[in-house]
């Protein structure tokens, strides 16, 4: 089975997109991120739920000392008003330039190796600037279960 056949089509994030719209698309396709197309029409990065939450909702000190936090830290909860501000902001300054990508003609084993190298669980299938979708470790596992012998 080819990477193109395994790819899940997604929307592409663009300048001015709201965080709430990005989250909806990622949830719809069950992927933690989608590619970002800049104003010139080139795919230049990715919009990632994890990165957005990290940058907007997680102070550095919480990450640094997470192992010391107890299970009852009610005073550190996000106020609802802050959550709404996050959802209403644009993704423009929250784009990651590192876009894990692979050509659609590459073998599945290379996609898995590239995901490991990039320390990610998903990879975008691109032929130049032509975006075909995203392959995740979940789709690779599904392929193995249903078509033992993914190439």
């Amino acid at each position: 089975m080819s990477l193109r056949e395994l790819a899940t089509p997604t929307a592409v994030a663009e300048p001015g997109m709201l965080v709430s719209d990005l989250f909806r698309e990622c949830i719809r396709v069950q992927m933690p991120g989608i590619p970002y197309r800049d104003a010139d029409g080139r795919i230049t990065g990715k919009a990632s739920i994890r990165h957005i939450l990290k940058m907007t909702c997680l102070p550095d000190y919480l990450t640094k000392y997470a192992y010391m936090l107890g299970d009852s830290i009610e005073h550190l909860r996000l106020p609802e008003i802050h959550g709404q501000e996050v959802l209403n902001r644009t993704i423009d300054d929250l784009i990651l330039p590192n876009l894990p990508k692979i050509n659609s003609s590459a073998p599945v084993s290379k996609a898995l190796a590239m995901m490991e190298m990039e320390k990610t669980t998903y990879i975008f299938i691109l032929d130049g600037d032509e975006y075909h979708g995203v392959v995740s470790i979940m789709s690779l596992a599904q392929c193995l279960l249903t078509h033992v012998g993914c190439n």
Side-chain angles (χ1 to χ4, degrees):
M1 186 164 280
S2 74
L3 288 176
R4 205 166 181 178
E5 292 171 303
L6 287 172
T8 300
T10 71
V12 176
E14 296 182 339
M17 183 179 209
L18 296 179
V19 168
S20 59
D21 294 331
L22 171 74
F23 283 11
R24 281 187 193 92
E25 176 61 10
C26 289
I27 291 166
R28 181 185 74 79
V29 296
Q30 292 296 292
M31 291 292 167
I34 60 176
Y36 174 77
R37 179 177 289 129
D38 66 16
D40 295 328
R42 293 184 23 237
I43 294 179
T44 58
K46 74 175 177 180
S48 160
I49 290 176
R50 179 177 178 235
H51 181 69
I52 289 171
L53 291 175
K54 176 184 170 189
M55 300 307 292
T56 61
C57 301
L58 192 60
D60 288 338
Y61 66 86
L62 278 182
T63 303
K64 186 174 182 179
Y65 300 109
Y67 65 93
M68 295 173 58
L69 297 174
D71 293 334
S72 292
I73 53 173
E74 295 297 315
H75 59 284
L76 295 176
R77 293 178 74 181
L78 285 174
E80 286 183 33
I81 191 155
H82 178 71
Q84 195 58 51
E85 288 172 8
V86 170
L87 292 172
N88 289 337
R89 82 184 269 184
T90 66
I91 62 169
D92 298 352
D93 61 342
L94 298 167
I95 300 302
L96 289 167
N98 181 22
L99 178 75
K101 62 185 175 183
I102 193 166
N103 189 287
S104 67
S105 63
V108 171
S109 56
K110 181 176 179 180
L112 184 57
M114 294 288 294
M115 283 188 267
E116 281 299 312
M117 184 183 80
E118 296 283 342
K119 296 182 178 14
T120 186
T121 58
Y122 60 106
I123 192 164
F124 300 104
I125 311 304
L126 284 159
D127 293 324
D129 278 332
E130 184 181 1
Y131 172 62
H132 301 293
V134 61
V135 170
S136 71
I137 58 168
M138 299 301 281
S139 58
L140 294 179
Q142 180 67 45
C143 178
L144 283 173
L145 282 171
T146 57
H147 304 93
V148 177
C150 294
N151 297 326

